[in-house]
């Protein structure tokens, strides 16, 4: 039985590392539902800076709709488990 964990991916892409986010999405879609929640948020959360600041941008998308072009090295991706819910 595979583990059903929430995944946090820090610094998922950069100008020279662009293919990994799409590959990760495709690999996860082989094991998770297309509607699995993905939160795209600022990596500043990890150090508690700029939370609720003017540059903060937090989005929730379905795994199937995750666009690698919207992800860069300033992002933190949180991929929900099968038990993750959103309202």
């Amino acid at each position: 039985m595979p583990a059903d964990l929430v995944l946090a991916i820090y610094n998922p892409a950069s100008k020279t590392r662009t293919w990994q986010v799409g590959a990760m999405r495709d690999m996860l879609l082989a094991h998770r539902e297309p509607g699995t929640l993905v939160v795209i948020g600022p990596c500043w959360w990890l150090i508690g800076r700029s939370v609720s600041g003017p540059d903060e941008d937090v989005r929730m998308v379905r795994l199937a709709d995750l666009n690698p072009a919207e992800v860069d090295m300033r992002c933190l991706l949180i991929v929900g488990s099968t038990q993750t819910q959103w309202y």
Side-chain angles (χ1 to χ4, degrees):
M1 180 173 170
D4 186 23
L5 304 172
V6 171
L7 304 173
I9 298 97
Y10 173 76
N11 191 3
S14 71
K15 289 180 183 178
T16 59
R17 291 183 295 112
T18 58
W19 64 271
Q20 289 96 331
V21 175
M24 176 204 64
R25 178 200 56 216
D26 296 344
M27 183 174 57
L28 286 172
L29 282 170
H31 303 280
R32 302 258 176 112
E33 293 294 321
T36 299
L37 173 67
V38 178
V39 176
I40 305 171
C43 64
W44 313 309
W45 288 353
L46 298 177
I47 55 176
R49 208 166 1 128
S50 296
V51 174
S52 299
D55 295 330
E56 182 180 289
D57 179 28
V58 178
R59 288 170 278 149
M60 295 185 294
V61 298
R62 296 173 350 116
L63 180 59
D65 299 330
L66 178 61
N67 181 355
E70 297 177 353
V71 177
D72 62 23
M73 65 189 308
R74 296 169 303 190
C75 290
L76 171 66
L77 298 180
I78 301 174
V79 181
S81 72
T82 60
Q83 303 300 307
T84 302
Q85 299 178 20
W86 57 334
Y87 302 92

